[in-house]
Amino acid sequence: MSLRVAEKLSGRFRYLADDAPKGALVGLVLRSAHPHARISRLDTRAAEAVPGVHAVVTTADVPAGFRFGLRLKDQPVLADGVVRHLGEAVAAVAAETMEIAAAALAAIDVDYEILPPVTDPHVALGKEAVALHDGGNLCHAFDYLKGDVAVALEASAHTVDLSLDTPRQMHVALELEGGVAIPGEGDLVLRAPAHDPHHVRHVLSELTGLEEENIHVVGSPIGGSYGGKEDLHVQPVLALLGLKARRPVRLVLSRPEAVAAGIKRHPFSIRLRAGCNADGRLTALDFDAVADTGAYASHGPEVLETAMECAPGAYDWPSVRLAGRLAYTNNGISGAFRGFGAVQTQSALELAIDALADKAGVDRIAFRRLNLAAAEGPGPLGQTMVPMLELEPLGEALAALPAVPVGRPDERFVAGTGVALIRKGEGFGGGGPNGALGRLALGFDGRIRLETSLTEMGQGLEAAALAALRQAFGVDGRDVGLRIGETAVGNSGPTSASRGTQIAVRLVRKGAETMRQALGAAAARKLGGAAEDYISGPGGMFRADDRRNRPDIGFAALAEGEDIAVDVEIEPIETHLDGLACHTLFTACAARAFILVDRWTGRITCTGIDVLPACGMPLVPAAFDGQMAGGAAQALGFCLTEDLLATDGSFAARNLDGYFVPTIADMPPVRIHPLVELDARDPVGLRGAGEIGLNAVAPAIACAVRDVLGIPPLRLPVDPDWVLDVLEARR
Amino acid sequence: MRISFTLNGRPAALEAEPFERLAPLLSSNFDLKSVRTACGIGRCGACMVLVDGKAVNACLLIAGKVEGAEIFTAEGLEAVAAPLIAALEAHGAIQCGYCAPGLLVSLAASLLAGDRVRAEDVEATLTGNLCRCTGYAGIRAAIADVFG
């Protein structure tokens, strides 16, 4: 649920790249047609000479050796002698019209010396592989060991071996990456969708040499992201073009450019061995994962860490070995995507849990409940954590879900059910930007507003923050407001890792008491008496002892001549383990999925999904439900339809044909059963809803496939031909 | 060539080659931001407009085909589609909103088609409107309200 629904439906709502100042130039990017090549010559003189061209930029316009990234900085703004993925930006132009810009691009002379692409992440990590970066192709490694896994597996009554390859899922936000740069005298305004405007500003400052205070970044609203716009996308090139042309520039990618060059979900290749005792108690988990980050790190190291932290699931394992490797290849770029590495490892683990339950002869839900991790911790890597009492109630709720008719099993269709019970860290692992600054202020328009740099991308942050403001001050919708998503307000950190709405609501709640006092004090100054004589209510301040139906002073009158504002800071709750970034705060969720497998075609239809999120009491129920249903749709795509296959570094699809985003016809009813009680001692009081539904639904669908076929899928999305082979072999 | 049609109830004309695609012409000539080219190949539905009562992908339609046609974009449908907008809002059916105008055009085509349209038929007309945010749950609930 979002605000301004009528404006969005009627096209009156404006996204950041919709409008540009009069006379703005058109930006276009020249992209590599090769996944791996050395640039032996790059000549832009002819392009610069095209009438109507105001700027051409290449790596020569970038400070020597400049690299950017979310944490690990390894990405050039424009190819610096080498291209490492198809569609990598090599040069860019700003011109008076699209036609002139296209002509200028065509006039840029590039000679490529084609190099063999490194496309298999396992091969990339071998000794023989060509190194794509100075430090080799191992972008990041994660290792964790508890106990003697080999001995424990040997002694286990039952063991399962499982492998799973997961898809290069594409975000497919309907809004393409784009933006507008507006250079001034010694300053720059940059409007483009961003999860963290302050981070964008910092990078642009380092790139352009402008001081941060002379750069203003607007990153909200966003027409869909799901993590795909967390990296800087067009901002660096736009800044270079705008400053060089000294004119505003608008640059919006085409869908083929976004498919080729945009961020994707990391494909994971997982192998695991897991065991349990005769009575169904888990014994040991041996878990290896290799992930493909493509040409640059993006959020890859953090994705790998979250993936491996979630690999043991919500369960107690006496011994665990986790080994994750993140490889550089020439397969595009992978980065943040809702579910963040965890959905890959959770899918594999939940399949293994079902296999062990079946071997032990224990009901699959009962098996999960038998093995749940302790509520008080330690966490999956042995870390201290905020206690979570939600796992057992979720197991109980899962067991108590009513049976649902699963369609009509007949000679053609065969039905199956899958369940999953997962937890995932919220916010960032230890050392990440978990803190947040914000401000509550009474504006001259008479609205109490929250100021935060967090951004709205459809997740309902604005609606939740406004609801929190109304609650905190006992006021109406007309008394509250927001200023969000830009660098003119305090740094609230990234809107990612399911933290955005949670942080916005906590900023309101944390500052509310001080703000109420400030409002009372202002009322006392204007009307006499003491601060505590006044309380806020609809329209303004009321005398606490004589509450009439009209305020004694309206908020706009109260604001006159006053500066009523409270700075708020949220400090991170963090655990640090030597050498491991791990989470302190976890969110739990369970899910159930029903499928029908078509024996004739091998196609799988999902016929119903239940989601049981444990996020506390939703502030805006429709927005909360929307997050769950939206996550379920992306989980369905992950399991059944979506994969951007790569061959020799080139993707099989160039646009949205050949890549199957679920439509309304693919989506079953999604029933949401929220667990609204969190532990009374919980220091946060709520959990983000952005990712957790996706994280639970994907393994549930994967487990439903195993339920029908008797063996776990080897890769996701499930290939109908593989389904037919399995059905044939079983006959 | 000069191409004349009615646009959101008013006479309109533009200069274009007959084989130019309608979507960018509408958005640039008339500042109609609802007509969004998000794939350009008729897969996503973000550019949908009503042409003589039918919802079509304006990114595929060539300008020469709309001579004399009656075209509505989402901007021109706000009044007639008011019950749809209210239902979509009530059910939290819109998140980021980028697909929303195309969705409204598709739904308006059903609304304008008359009383006989059933909810499941309306759903079937939406398979050309990708929404990546919502999982379509709120959209479905809104359809049930308006067409059920």
Side-chain angles (χ1 to χ4, degrees):
Chain A
M1 164 129 161
S2 70
L3 303 170
R4 297 186 282 178
V5 168
E7 286 171 63
K8 286 180 173 177
L9 283 160
S10 67
R12 284 185 285 120
F13 188 86
R14 288 295 198 252
Y15 298 87
L16 293 173
D18 280 351
D19 297 298
K22 221 173 163 53
L25 302 171
V26 177
L28 271 187
V29 179
L30 180 70
R31 297 183 180 279
S32 169
H34 310 288
H36 192 200
R38 192 166 289 118
I39 297 174
S40 49
R41 198 169 65 91
L42 176 56
D43 186 342
T44 59
R45 284 172 296 181
E48 285 156 21
V50 174
V53 170
H54 289 255
V56 180
V57 294
T58 68
T59 194
D61 297 276
V62 176
F66 180 85
R67 297 289 185 271
F68 71 99
L70 287 159
R71 306 274 178 88
L72 178 61
K73 294 172 174 51
D74 63 355
Q75 190 172 354
V77 171
L78 291 158
D80 187 5
V82 178
V83 290
R84 297 185 179 85
H85 69 94
L86 194 77
E88 180 154 6
V90 172
V93 303
E96 285 166 18
T97 67
M98 182 61 86
E99 290 70 28
I100 296 170
L105 273 200
I108 296 175
D109 212 353
V110 198
D111 288 346
Y112 294 101
E113 181 190 324
I114 293 172
L115 301 170
V118 178
T119 58
D120 181 325
H122 295 91
V123 172
L125 294 175
K127 287 200 177 73
E128 309 294 308
V130 175
L132 299 176
H133 290 269
D134 288 345
N137 295 334
L138 180 63
C139 178
H140 194 61
F142 179 103
D143 289 287
Y144 174 76
L145 187 64
K146 179 176 88 167
D148 192 325
V149 170
V151 168
L153 284 169
E154 190 64 34
S156 299
H158 307 288
T159 59
V160 298
D161 291 280
L162 188 142
S163 65
L164 184 70
D165 287 336
T166 66
R168 179 178 289 101
Q169 191 175 22
M170 185 156 61
H171 301 72
V172 197
L174 267 285
E175 177 200 48
L176 290 153
E177 293 89 335
V180 181
I182 307 164
E185 292 300 319
D187 63 13
L188 175 70
V189 175
L190 209 137
R191 298 160 52 86
H195 287 233
D196 187 352
H198 285 273
H199 170 73
V200 173
R201 179 167 78 166
H202 181 72
V203 174
L204 295 183
S205 172
E206 290 189 329
L207 171 66
T208 64
L210 289 173
E211 295 295 328
E212 287 198 28
E213 63 259 33
N214 294 327
I215 301 175
H216 180 48
V217 172
V218 182
S220 189
I222 305 175
S225 174
Y226 329 109
K229 289 166 182 156
E230 184 149 4
D231 293 74
L232 277 75
H233 39 94
V234 299
Q235 297 97 329
V237 163
L238 259 176
L240 292 176
L241 286 173
L243 291 172
K244 191 165 185 178
R246 297 165 174 272
R247 290 264 295 266
V249 181
R250 177 175 178 267
L251 192 167
V252 180
L253 303 195
S254 68
R255 183 63 64 183
E257 283 182 283
V259 170
I263 301 294
K264 314 292 184 307
R265 189 188 294 286
H266 285 84
F268 269 60
S269 177
I270 293 163
R271 298 183 68 84
L272 71 86
R273 189 153 205 235
C276 70
N277 286 336
D279 64 1
R281 294 232 174 237
L282 294 172
T283 52
L285 175 66
D286 194 14
F287 198 113
D288 285 280
V290 174
D292 181 0
T293 204
Y296 300 106
S298 177
H299 244 326
E302 296 76 47
V303 164
L304 184 73
E305 283 164 2
T306 303
M308 300 315 289
E309 185 185 45
C310 289
Y315 309 109
D316 182 30
W317 300 89
S319 48
V320 181
R321 189 189 72 88
L322 306 172
R325 299 290 179 268
L326 183 69
Y328 284 122
T329 68
N330 296 116
N331 298 325
I333 310 176
S334 293
F337 195 148
R338 190 183 203 176
F340 208 72
V343 69
Q344 293 94 319
T345 52
Q346 286 160 335
S347 295
L349 185 83
E350 290 294 288
L351 285 166
I353 291 290
D354 271 3
L356 284 173
D358 291 358
K359 281 196 170 180
V362 179
D363 168 80
R364 293 170 192 164
I365 296 173
F367 186 89
R368 285 174 167 80
R369 295 174 69 184
L370 179 66
N371 285 293
L372 287 178
E376 304 289 332
L381 306 178
Q383 73 265 43
T384 57
M385 57 181 277
V386 171
M388 55 183 323
L389 303 185
E390 301 88 67
L391 290 176
E392 174 47 31
L394 278 183
E396 195 182 335
L398 201 50
L401 281 179
V404 171
V406 289
R408 30 162 189 69
D410 56 23
E411 64 171 25
R412 180 168 174 186
F413 293 99
V414 53
T417 309
V419 297
L421 178 54
I422 56 101
R423 62 176 166 178
K424 178 184 172 294
E426 178 157 333
F428 307 102
N434 282 315
L437 300 177
R439 192 165 178 262
L440 295 173
L442 179 64
F444 295 118
D445 57 358
R447 288 176 187 266
I448 304 169
R449 67 172 184 266
L450 170 67
E451 299 179 355
T452 167
S453 65
L454 295 162
T455 56
E456 172 69 47
M457 50 197 84
Q459 81 278 43
L461 181 146
E462 292 178 319
L466 290 173
L469 284 168
R470 289 197 305 272
Q471 269 179 14
F473 298 100
V475 298
D476 289 339
R478 68 194 151 99
D479 304 322
V480 294
L482 297 170
R483 183 169 186 190
I484 69 163
E486 52 172 304
T487 50
V489 299
N491 187 348
S492 315
T495 308
S496 66
S498 300
R499 74 189 283 274
T501 303
Q502 178 243 98
I503 293 284
V505 170
R506 285 169 68 201
L507 285 169
V508 172
R509 290 180 179 169
K510 188 162 183 202
E513 183 51 38
T514 316
M515 185 64 181
R516 284 192 290 262
Q517 286 166 12
L519 292 168
R525 279 194 293 278
K526 290 215 154 77
L527 302 179
E532 49 276 18
D533 295 343
Y534 297 93
I535 57 168
S536 58
M541 300 300 287
F542 295 73
R543 272 183 225 281
D545 57 352
D546 172 29
R547 187 149 181 171
R548 293 177 296 170
N549 58 6
R550 286 184 52 198
D552 294 280
I553 183 167
F555 284 124
L558 187 70
E560 260 173 53
E562 301 269 356
D563 181 15
I564 306 168
V566 173
D567 289 313
V568 192
E569 177 169 10
I570 288 178
E571 286 167 13
I573 311 163
E574 278 186 5
T575 296
H576 292 273
L577 282 187
D578 285 343
L580 288 177
C582 56
H583 289 83
T584 312
L585 188 64
F586 286 82
T587 313
C589 190
R592 180 175 69 169
F594 297 97
I595 61 166
L596 282 178
V597 175
D598 185 338
R599 285 197 182 93
W600 298 358
T601 65
R603 287 199 53 194
I604 296 170
T605 310
C606 193
T607 55
I609 293 171
D610 294 283
V611 193
L612 297 80
C615 298
M617 183 67 78
L619 264 107
V620 187
F624 183 86
D625 290 358
Q627 287 301 296
M628 295 305 143
Q634 290 176 359
L636 186 146
F638 177 83
C639 290
L640 300 181
T641 64
E642 295 185 41
D643 194 6
L644 189 62
L645 293 168
T647 308
D648 297 332
S650 296
F651 295 136
R654 296 180 58 197
N655 201 320
L656 301 186
D657 50 345
Y659 186 91
F660 302 109
V661 172
T663 72
I664 194 169
D666 299 309
M667 276 310 290
V670 179
R671 297 171 289 264
I672 298 146
H673 318 268
L675 187 82
V676 299
E677 295 278 339
L678 294 180
D679 183 7
R681 294 163 297 168
D682 193 281
V684 178
L686 75 163
R687 294 290 184 277
E691 295 175 277
I692 200 72
L694 185 153
N695 284 93
V697 172
I701 295 173
C703 287
V705 174
R706 183 187 168 280
D707 185 47
V708 173
L709 299 177
I711 59 170
L714 299 172
R715 61 173 302 127
L716 299 174
V718 179
D719 178 1
D721 286 338
W722 177 82
V723 172
L724 290 176
D725 288 347
V726 173
L727 291 171
E728 181 67 24
R730 273 197 353 190
R731 234 190 258 171
Chain B
M1 65 182 276
R2 184 178 168 82
I3 299 160
S4 303
F5 45 91
T6 68
L7 181 60
N8 293 331
R10 291 182 184 169
L14 53 80
E15 283 292 331
E17 295 301 318
F19 290 105
E20 281 188 67
R21 306 292 168 135
L22 189 64
L25 291 172
L26 288 180
S27 59
S28 60
N29 282 280
F30 304 100
D31 195 34
L32 295 167
K33 298 293 190 215
S34 78
V35 189
R36 301 192 173 116
T37 302
C39 73
I41 57 168
R43 295 294 293 216
C44 75
C47 65
M48 277 194 168
V49 297
L50 274 189
V51 179
D52 295 331
K54 281 181 68 176
V56 296
N57 285 304
C59 72
L60 296 181
L61 193 64
I62 55 173
K65 298 282 271 183
V66 300
E67 174 66 38
E70 182 183 52
I71 301 175
F72 280 94
T73 67
E75 284 90 345
L77 293 168
E78 204 170 354
V80 62
L84 282 170
I85 293 171
L88 290 163
E89 183 156 19
H91 289 286
I94 302 300
Q95 288 183 24
C96 87
Y98 208 81
C99 70
L103 175 77
L104 188 76
V105 168
S106 271
L107 289 172
S110 294
L111 196 68
L112 296 171
D115 299 338
R116 298 248 187 91
V117 184
R118 297 176 308 161
E120 53 265 42
D121 298 331
V122 177
E123 268 194 44
T125 68
L126 293 189
T127 53
N129 292 91
L130 296 182
C131 168
R132 190 57 154 164
C133 288
T134 66
Y136 310 98
I139 296 169
R140 236 181 215 152
I143 290 172
D145 271 11
V146 176
F147 297 96

